[in-house]
């Protein structure tokens, strides 16, 4: 007997997405009740301009960028990726900031120092140096 397993959406990182939407459509973006938490990307003429996160209302974040803050008038479209678990939002944002280095962001994403493999213990460095010599 063949059993067909259904793949659950429960453990997916990205729950919903909305890509390449006109800046004016921010009024239709998910708010608090629609779980508008996740990562958003602002584009200027098709290029990544700014990457941000929303822990509650995407609509509110986009409204602020469109009408009030220093990003006003500097972007013309956006994408949104709803992250299922709020605890992962900051790490995903940091990863994207480090990869894209958008001109609209003032900071680069941070990770904990203890996770940096470049800061290996000296014994590993010596072993690597030792094996490199002949």
């Amino acid at each position: 007997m063949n059993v067909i397993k259904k793949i659950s959406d429960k453990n997916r990182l990205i729950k919903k997405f909305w890509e390449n939407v006109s800046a004016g459509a921010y009024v239709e973006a998910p708010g608090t009740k629609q779980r508008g938490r996740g990562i958003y990307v602002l584009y200027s003429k098709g290029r990544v301009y700014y990457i941000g996160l929303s822990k509650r209302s995407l609509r509110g974040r986009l409204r602020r960028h469109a009408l009030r803050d220093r990003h006003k008038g500097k972007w013309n479209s956006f994408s949104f990726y709803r992250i299922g678990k709020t605890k992962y939002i900051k790490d995903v944002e940091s990863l994207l900031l480090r990869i894209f280095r958008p001109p609209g962001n003032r900071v680069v994403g941070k990770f904990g120092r203890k996770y940096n493999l470049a800061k290996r213990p000296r014994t590993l460095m010596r072993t690597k140096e030792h094996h490199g010599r002949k």
Side-chain angles (χ1 to χ4, degrees):
M1 176 178 199
N2 290 338
V3 177
I4 299 173
K5 284 187 175 181
K6 287 187 176 182
I7 299 173
S8 171
D9 288 340
K10 184 178 179 182
N11 293 320
R12 294 213 183 269
L13 178 66
I14 306 298
K15 296 289 188 174
K16 306 255 183 204
F17 64 93
W18 203 17
E19 295 181 309
N20 300 314
V21 182
S22 171
Y26 77 84
V27 296
E28 298 174 35
T32 306
K33 290 181 181 177
Q34 297 85 21
R35 297 186 183 153
R37 61 180 181 239
I39 301 297
Y40 60 93
V41 182
L42 304 182
Y43 301 96
S44 176
K45 299 175 185 169
R47 301 189 73 138
V48 174
Y49 165 72
Y50 180 86
I51 297 171
L53 63 83
S54 167
K55 289 199 175 175
R56 286 189 292 167
S57 172
L58 172 66
R59 186 181 314 130
R61 296 292 295 138
L62 292 175
R63 179 178 30 243
R64 187 173 298 119
H65 292 319
L67 304 175
R68 291 185 220 139
D69 68 14
R70 66 187 178 88
H71 304 296
K72 179 181 175 181
K74 295 181 181 175
W75 58 283
N76 56 4
S77 62
F78 69 93
S79 293
F80 171 65
Y81 304 89
R82 189 172 133 222
I83 308 291
K85 301 235 184 240
T86 307
K87 67 182 182 179
Y88 297 125
I89 293 174
K90 183 64 181 155
D91 280 346
V92 173
E93 182 204 32
S94 293
L95 177 64
L96 293 172
L97 287 172
R98 293 173 80 91
I99 292 170
F100 288 101
R101 305 217 183 241
N105 288 86
R106 292 180 176 162
V107 297
V108 178
K110 294 181 182 179
F111 296 124
R113 284 186 177 196
K114 69 181 182 179
Y115 304 114
N116 188 348
L117 292 176
K119 309 240 182 224
R120 292 182 270 200
R122 286 187 167 179
T123 55
L124 288 176
M125 297 295 269
R126 279 194 214 121
T127 305
K128 185 178 175 184
E129 290 170 5
H130 178 70
H131 289 295
R133 296 183 190 153
K134 290 196 178 189

